[in-house]
Short mmCIF file of all heavy atoms in Angstrom, two decimals:
data_model
loop_
_atom_site.label_atom_id
_atom_site.label_comp_id
_atom_site.label_asym_id
_atom_site.label_seq_id
_atom_site.Cartn_x
_atom_site.Cartn_y
_atom_site.Cartn_z
N GLY W 294 98.80 80.05 82.43
CA GLY W 294 100.06 80.23 81.88
C GLY W 294 101.24 80.01 82.86
O GLY W 294 102.39 80.35 82.61
N VAL W 295 100.93 79.53 84.06
CA VAL W 295 101.91 79.32 85.08
C VAL W 295 102.10 77.92 85.43
O VAL W 295 101.10 77.16 85.58
CB VAL W 295 101.44 80.06 86.43
CG1 VAL W 295 102.55 79.97 87.45
CG2 VAL W 295 101.32 81.57 86.10
N ILE W 296 103.27 77.55 85.53
CA ILE W 296 103.76 76.06 85.81
C ILE W 296 104.72 76.18 87.05
O ILE W 296 105.65 77.13 87.01
CB ILE W 296 104.42 75.38 84.63
CG1 ILE W 296 103.57 75.55 83.37
CG2 ILE W 296 104.73 73.85 84.98
CD1 ILE W 296 104.35 75.12 82.12
N SER W 297 104.78 75.19 87.95
CA SER W 297 105.83 75.11 88.94
C SER W 297 106.31 73.74 88.91
O SER W 297 105.55 72.82 88.64
CB SER W 297 105.36 75.57 90.29
OG SER W 297 104.97 76.87 90.39
N PHE W 298 107.57 73.58 89.25
CA PHE W 298 108.16 72.19 89.30
C PHE W 298 109.34 72.31 90.34
O PHE W 298 109.88 73.34 90.62
CB PHE W 298 108.78 71.68 87.89
CG PHE W 298 109.80 72.48 87.40
CD1 PHE W 298 111.20 72.28 87.56
CD2 PHE W 298 109.50 73.65 86.52
CE1 PHE W 298 112.16 72.96 87.03
CE2 PHE W 298 110.54 74.39 85.94
CZ PHE W 298 111.84 74.13 86.30
N ASP W 299 109.63 71.03 90.95
CA ASP W 299 110.75 71.06 91.81
C ASP W 299 111.73 69.92 91.37
O ASP W 299 111.36 69.09 90.54
CB ASP W 299 110.40 70.99 93.30
CG ASP W 299 109.34 69.82 93.52
OD1 ASP W 299 109.32 68.95 92.81
OD2 ASP W 299 108.84 69.82 94.61
N LEU W 300 112.95 70.01 91.87
CA LEU W 300 113.93 69.01 91.42
C LEU W 300 114.02 67.84 92.36
O LEU W 300 113.83 67.90 93.55
CB LEU W 300 115.24 69.77 91.49
CG LEU W 300 115.36 71.06 90.56
CD1 LEU W 300 116.66 71.76 90.68
CD2 LEU W 300 115.13 70.60 89.04
N LYS W 301 114.49 66.74 91.70
CA LYS W 301 114.64 65.51 92.62
C LYS W 301 115.67 65.80 93.56
O LYS W 301 115.58 65.23 94.74
CB LYS W 301 115.12 64.38 91.59
CG LYS W 301 113.99 63.76 90.77
CD LYS W 301 114.39 62.53 89.94
CE LYS W 301 113.19 62.02 89.22
NZ LYS W 301 113.49 60.88 88.37
N GLU W 302 116.68 66.55 93.38
CA GLU W 302 117.67 66.84 94.29
C GLU W 302 117.25 68.33 94.91
O GLU W 302 117.39 69.29 94.27
CB GLU W 302 119.12 67.10 93.74
CG GLU W 302 120.09 67.36 94.80
CD GLU W 302 121.45 67.26 94.29
OE1 GLU W 302 121.82 66.40 93.40
OE2 GLU W 302 122.56 68.05 94.72
N ASP W 303 116.64 68.32 96.09
CA ASP W 303 115.99 69.51 96.56
C ASP W 303 117.19 70.41 97.18
O ASP W 303 117.40 70.46 98.34
CB ASP W 303 115.01 69.16 97.82
CG ASP W 303 114.15 70.33 98.10
OD1 ASP W 303 114.01 71.28 97.38
OD2 ASP W 303 113.77 70.34 99.38
N ASN W 304 117.78 71.21 96.23
CA ASN W 304 118.97 71.93 96.54
C ASN W 304 118.78 73.33 96.08
O ASN W 304 118.54 73.55 94.81
CB ASN W 304 120.03 71.24 95.88
CG ASN W 304 121.33 71.95 96.10
OD1 ASN W 304 121.63 73.02 95.70
ND2 ASN W 304 122.36 71.22 96.92
N ILE W 305 118.90 74.38 96.83
CA ILE W 305 118.80 75.82 96.51
C ILE W 305 119.75 76.22 95.38
O ILE W 305 119.32 76.89 94.59
CB ILE W 305 118.82 76.66 97.77
CG1 ILE W 305 117.49 76.75 98.56
CG2 ILE W 305 119.18 78.11 97.40
CD1 ILE W 305 117.48 77.63 99.72
N GLU W 306 120.96 75.77 95.69
CA GLU W 306 122.01 76.06 94.74
C GLU W 306 121.88 75.62 93.35
O GLU W 306 122.09 76.37 92.38
CB GLU W 306 123.51 75.68 95.24
CG GLU W 306 124.01 76.36 96.46
CD GLU W 306 123.29 75.98 97.76
OE1 GLU W 306 122.66 74.81 97.91
OE2 GLU W 306 123.31 76.80 98.65
N LEU W 307 121.38 74.35 93.26
CA LEU W 307 120.89 73.85 91.86
C LEU W 307 119.78 74.63 91.22
O LEU W 307 119.81 74.85 90.06
CB LEU W 307 120.61 72.35 92.10
CG LEU W 307 120.98 71.44 90.99
CD1 LEU W 307 122.48 71.52 90.58
CD2 LEU W 307 120.60 69.98 91.20
N ALA W 308 118.80 75.01 92.14
CA ALA W 308 117.63 75.70 91.46
C ALA W 308 118.06 77.01 91.16
O ALA W 308 117.68 77.63 90.05
CB ALA W 308 116.57 75.80 92.65
N ASN W 309 118.98 77.71 91.96
CA ASN W 309 119.43 79.10 91.58
C ASN W 309 120.20 79.01 90.31
O ASN W 309 120.17 79.84 89.43
CB ASN W 309 120.31 79.71 92.65
CG ASN W 309 119.52 80.26 93.76
OD1 ASN W 309 118.31 80.52 93.58
ND2 ASN W 309 120.01 80.28 95.00
N LYS W 310 121.02 77.93 90.06
CA LYS W 310 121.78 77.74 88.83
C LYS W 310 120.77 77.65 87.56
O LYS W 310 120.97 78.25 86.64
CB LYS W 310 122.70 76.62 88.95
CG LYS W 310 123.42 76.20 87.68
CD LYS W 310 124.33 77.33 87.26
CE LYS W 310 125.26 76.95 85.97
NZ LYS W 310 126.16 78.00 85.59
N LEU W 311 119.76 76.80 87.83
CA LEU W 311 118.74 76.54 86.77
C LEU W 311 118.15 77.99 86.29
O LEU W 311 118.02 78.29 85.23
CB LEU W 311 117.71 75.77 87.20
CG LEU W 311 116.51 75.35 86.27
CD1 LEU W 311 117.17 74.63 84.97
CD2 LEU W 311 115.46 74.54 86.80
N VAL W 312 117.62 78.66 87.41
CA VAL W 312 116.88 79.95 87.02
C VAL W 312 117.83 81.07 86.42
O VAL W 312 117.22 81.92 85.79
CB VAL W 312 116.00 80.43 88.07
CG1 VAL W 312 114.98 79.45 88.57
CG2 VAL W 312 116.84 80.87 89.35
#
Side-chain angles (χ1 to χ4, degrees):
V295 178
I296 310 162
S297 289
F298 63 91
D299 51 23
L300 304 176
K301 285 185 177 176
E302 186 174 327
D303 189 27
N304 182 295
I305 280 186
E306 288 72 25
L307 210 58
N309 282 338
K310 177 64 177 176
L311 177 66
V312 299

